[in-house]
Amino acid sequence: MDHDLKNTLVLIERFPATLNTLLRDLPEEWTHRGEGEKTWSAYDIVGHLIHGEKTDWIPRTRRILETGESVPFEKFDRFAQERESKGKTLPQLLDEFARLRTENIATLRAMNLTPAELAKRGRHQVLGVVTLSELLASWAAHDLTHLHQLSRVMAHQYRKAIGPWTKFMGVMQCAGHSE
């Protein structure tokens, strides 16, 4: 499917509510455990999403529109949540994510991006030249990636408890990454 900004907005608008429904008020056994050493928990994933709302999607959109390829994106700190989430509860993180996402969507809508602007190019320090359309499509795919990761991390908590049913559970076979 080609990128359609309206379809991206429909998906990314719903994601905070999806996370809230899935995670709010769950016991910490579900939300603060990963899949092992150096893996992320649901709590870590929400913190990572918050950092992206602050430093990735809208700042990079602006960078493309203002400087094109001449100034590369700032490097994204994939582990910033380890610092930034300290002392916060999961409900606080869910609320912060929802607030930031609402603000970012309003900002994006206010830009009234044209097809010509969506075709503008920026420079990622690893990927090289990317278009604004690709960046915005990746925002939706990024949400879905972390939804997949959340289901895998949470299912992992019952890996032993389900016994032989493990072989029938695709989520238990997934060898995705948690970082």
Side-chain angles (χ1 to χ4, degrees):
M1 162 167 61
D2 290 333
H3 178 240
D4 180 313
L5 185 55
K6 289 178 187 176
N7 287 338
T8 296
L9 286 166
V10 167
L11 189 66
I12 67 174
E13 280 179 318
R14 295 171 186 232
F15 197 54
T18 299
L19 293 181
N20 191 60
T21 298
L22 179 63
L23 300 173
R24 190 173 294 269
D25 299 325
L26 282 179
E28 285 190 3
E29 289 83 6
W30 284 114
T31 61
H32 284 66
R33 291 183 181 172
E35 298 167 289
E37 192 175 328
K38 295 186 179 183
T39 63
W40 289 359
S41 66
Y43 179 88
D44 298 322
I45 293 166
V46 176
H48 167 80
L49 291 165
I50 289 168
H51 184 68
E53 291 300 307
K54 292 177 181 177
T55 66
D56 195 334
W57 314 112
I58 296 300
R60 288 179 174 189
T61 296
R62 287 185 175 125
R63 173 73 50 95
I64 289 171
L65 294 172
E66 293 167 7
T67 66
E69 296 176 54
S70 66
V71 181
F73 299 148
E74 297 294 321
K75 187 171 190 235
F76 184 78
D77 183 353
R78 292 178 50 231
F79 303 98
Q81 70 275 6
E82 294 172 6
R83 295 182 311 277
E84 296 174 1
S85 298
K86 278 190 178 167
K88 296 179 183 177
T89 65
L90 182 57
Q92 288 172 322
L93 294 181
L94 289 167
D95 292 344
E96 183 177 3
F97 177 63
R99 179 184 57 76
L100 290 168
R101 178 60 63 92
T102 298
E103 291 171 5
N104 283 341
I105 289 171
T107 298
L108 186 60
R109 285 186 190 283
M111 290 178 178
N112 292 316
L113 296 170
T114 65
E117 288 170 319
L118 289 169
K120 285 190 171 189
R121 297 158 36 132
R123 181 164 303 280
H124 187 278
Q125 65 276 18
V126 174
L127 302 174
V129 175
V130 297
T131 68
L132 179 54
S133 182
E134 291 167 338
L135 172 70
L136 297 175
S138 71
W139 192 356
H142 183 262
D143 280 358
L144 293 170
T145 296
H146 286 297
L147 184 59
H148 172 262
Q149 181 185 23
L150 277 166
S151 67
R152 192 188 72 243
V153 167
M154 292 174 74
H156 180 83
Q157 305 315 310
Y158 270 4
R159 184 172 296 282
K160 291 179 184 172
I162 65 173
W165 275 276
T166 297
K167 71 179 185 177
F168 294 138
M169 305 291 169
V171 71
M172 299 296 187
Q173 313 310 318
C174 180
H177 64 278
S178 288
E179 296 181 357

